[in-house]
Amino acid sequence: MENSTSHEIAEHGSLEVPSLIKYISSNEVAGFDSTETATELQFLGPSDKQEIQKDEEKGQGDESVAVNHQRKISISISMPLSPEEVQSHNNGETSLGDGIPNSSSQSNTEGSKPPRQAKCYSQPMPKGHVYPEDTEGRVNFGQNPHINRLKDNRFDPFKTFSGRLERQLSIFRGKPPKQAPAKQENNINNTDRPLTVDRYFDALEGPELETLRASEEAVLPQNERWPFLLRFPISSFGICLGVSSQAILWKTLATSPSTEFLHISLEVNLVLWIISIALVASIFTMYLLKIIIYFEAVRREYYHPIRVNFFFAPWIALLFLALGVPPSLTKYLHHALWYILMVPIFFLELKIYGQWMSGGQRRLSKVANPSNHLSVVGNFVGALLGASMGLKEGPIFFFAVGLAHYTVLFVTLYQRLPTNETLPKELHPVFFLFVAAPSVASMAWARIQDSFDYGSRIAYFIALFLYFSLAVRVNFFRGFKFSLAWWAYTFPMTGAAIATIRYSNQVTNIVTKVLCVILSLISTLTVTALLVSTVLHAFVLKDLFPNDIAIAISDRRRKPHKNRWFPLRHGSSEHSKVIENFLKFSNTEGDGDLEAALKQPSNPFEQH
Amino acid sequence: MASCEIELVIDTSTTNPTVVTDTGHDDNDAHSDESLMMMIAKRSLILSLNSILTKLHAGYFRISLSLGGQALLWKTFTEPADHDTAGILGHVGNIFHPTAFLVLWSFSLFVLVLLSILYLLRCLFYFKMVKAEFLHHVGVNYLFAPWISWLLLLQSAPGLAPETLPYLVLWWVFSVPVVLLDVKIYGQWFTKGKRFLSTGANPTSQLSVIGNLVGARAAAHMGWRESAVCLFSLGMVHYLVLFVTLYQRLSGGDRLPVLLRPVFFLFFAAPGVASLAWESIVGGFDTASKMLFFLSLFLFTSLICRPMLFRRSMRRFNVAWWAYSFPVTVLAIAATEYAYEVKGMIANSLTLILSALSVLVSFALTLFTLLNSKMLLPDNDPIASLLLHLPVSH
């Protein structure tokens, strides 16, 4: 006992011991309450904590566990994790002791922050304790009544201001806050340290950087369904792109002189346009909700090297809506609308292109991938819309900027630099984005020059060539898992079809007309197939919005030896034994407790 | 200087033994005092000249580049040839009094002549250092700077019409070195093993492109359309390659010392000059010129929205700060031409803002230079320090 206490004093060097002992004997808390951990650790400097952690990591299993137990109230099970790992607390409430690691690891990372920001993330809190926060009664034994709240708080780091906003809102609504206002500013990614792009490359793989590598761990539990908004990626705006571009296609088919022989009515355009409006409105609303409630998740999507390009998609979708507006509704759109629509694109561009030029970790040679075309296509679509509205200088501005950056991107992607980690080794539907920029550019130039002149034709033929070279390789597009982002890859096909129709207006002969029909058919069929697929996944397979692993990657790579101590994620039986032992001994009175507690738990581990 | 003086004393004592022996002679004393003073003065002059020559590298021509650009801007305002001066721009032109323009042009000429003479001396006495500059991936590009400055002054010369013979002769004198440098450097890009573009590309490489384009503009003003187009295409083709390479940033941006960050402004100088060159070739500010101008404008906006990029280079004054002025001036000139073509409120206000900015920047830089004249030739200049490790012949 003396040893243990002095040991503890030596280790902690603080006045915590008395309260610790008191705490153990008072049995106020059921289960391993590591609020103390938080408490103690907060008084320690980060180096101390680290030292403790290191000690614990290096020590042998039994003793450390015993030591853990004794100050279990201190650090105990948290040890296996590296001090910086904060996310551990978010993992598997299903397994025991996760709460503890949370606190310690969090407190470590929070060491620099004022102590009150703590950790007590999932610890049950005794009343009237020094740290009165957190009475959420999170008992990490997987007891059902708490599971809902468990889930709630697991996702809090992803929420705006880590859940504070939500609580404020619920207070405003008149409901009493569910829990005592917990100081949960334990963002898993301390907001002052955004994820580097290398982290995304290390942790994720796949052509869309969506799948977690085997060696990585996600911050959120993968075997549970996350809240819907958290699963709603920015690539959902691809649906808007796909459908609204179809509206434009059917409008062009109905109004172009060269396709009059098809006798297509404008009704189709009207119906599609209304559907697009509905889709755009609903997806905008949902994503807006996500921004309000889960801002942290949105930030992580923004830092994702591929998802960032999809931030252009909402604005391009709005531009498509303006392009596809049925003639029966309005003939002329106000010029101010164009300026309003282009402002977000302009600012996004300044940021992204500037990063390409000057950013060290996000420079183009490193992050170039076919989705970058989405960043460039916006310029051409804006130029097309502006020119159709009758503006002159603005469209030329965006066309020039788009052309310059498209050249850079095109060369970079064609080079397939060895330093480039994001290019998929195999063909993937994302490659169809290659067709988007030249086809829209050709249409935009034709509008600016008022005729489909040589510049437009050059761009159009480039688009056509790329389309064919991908279409003949359609066999290589097999074997990919359906994802919502595929919708975004349909609009280039539609764009190529529309460009062909415009070209056939200028050069009218049987070849171009046949080409019009074929390309339109392909595009419509693809969209229909995709629609069926989407409906299937949504209602039958119910996995249209799978857990968005890409945003849940951890800050750091886990240390590999963590599993030596506790297979935390999987609720091992040793764990429960440890807890049991603690519980047994926590009930007894007197000094003998600690020693007993020290000695006893070593046994289960000796056995293993 | 103390050691020098000692040397001098010994020197004079050995050369003028009469001073030692004849202490009583006043005449001799006075005479030897004067000659002593003169010798001291001469020596100190030579020494300071030596120190200047060792430290002066081609990067100092940024000053003459900026001043030449300013002169061209003022000329565009005061003598808008074949543009109607109605409207706001006409009024602004009246602000720039012709005499002020003349003073500015003379000052630029003076600075350029001074720098040219000094650099010529450096070539003569310290050729090894010049050669080292030539072999350095940043220094080599500044060898274009003198010729660009001369071409700019030629274009902005008051009273020298482009159709006259002196103009023609001078154009040849200044353009031939540009072409020769082109052949050498561009050829190196794709042939020589050690100096590939992918490893050596940095924002200052755009100076070679600018050189070609300025030459093209001057030729177009003379009426020599074919040479203009030739130089223009040469510049643009290499600009395309360079633009892509620089944007990719293959080497991760460690090719440029932090102190040289101001040269990032060259990113929007090149399209600006290209737009002006194309305008003079075609005769009007057509769509291609507009597109180049807009690209330049966009890159300008992008760079000024990133002040953190330049923070570390702004701590101490150094001659690299002069790299800010020329690109802004070029953009202002292009904006002026744009505004003449597209008369409108936005275009006019853009011109005014950019011109004001350009004048302000140049003025501020001149002020800074005069205040920190000691720091103009520092001991640890980024480029010079890279060259000093090479053996120097005195």
Side-chain angles (χ1 to χ4, degrees), chain B residues 106-125:
Chain B
S106 321
F107 177 62
S108 319
L109 186 68
F110 166 70
V111 167
L112 184 56
V113 166
L114 180 68
L115 279 171
S116 305
I117 292 177
L118 284 173
Y119 204 76
L120 206 65
L121 286 174
R122 180 178 154 101
C123 287
L124 287 172
F125 293 120

Side-chain angles (χ1 to χ4, degrees), chain A residues 366-419:
Chain A
K366 198 164 171 194
V367 302
N369 63 82
S371 321
N372 283 126
H373 282 286
L374 280 171
S375 319
V376 175
V377 154
N379 291 308
F380 295 127
V381 179
L384 176 61
L385 179 65
S388 351
M389 284 163 122
L391 294 157
K392 246 351 220 146
E393 302 301 312
I396 298 182
F397 177 87
F398 281 100
F399 191 86
V401 173
L403 187 65
H405 293 91
Y406 176 63
T407 321
V408 178
L409 184 64
F410 189 74
V411 173
T412 312
L413 287 174
Y414 243 90
Q415 280 176 334
R416 296 202 73 139
L417 292 167
T419 53

Side-chain angles (χ1 to χ4, degrees), chain A residues 349-351 353-359 363-365 393 396-397 400-401 404-405 408 411-412 415 417 445, chain B residues 240 243-244 247-250 252 264 267 287 290-291 294-295 297-298 301-303 305-306 309 338 342:
Chain A
E349 266 180 2
L350 274 181
K351 179 88 178 99
Y353 297 165
Q355 265 179 355
W356 288 1
M357 177 163 62
S358 67
R363 59 187 188 274
L364 192 59
S365 55
E393 302 301 312
I396 298 182
F397 177 87
V401 173
H405 293 91
V408 178
V411 173
T412 312
Q415 280 176 334
L417 292 167
W445 191 247
Chain B
L240 187 69
F243 187 70
V244 173
Y247 241 97
Q248 281 179 339
R249 300 192 82 219
L250 280 169
F264 264 80
F267 264 108
T287 312
K290 282 187 198 172
M291 281 171 48
F294 286 139
L295 178 66
L297 198 63
F298 179 81
T301 323
S302 175
L303 278 172
C305 289
R306 292 176 176 270
L309 198 61
Y338 175 70
V342 176

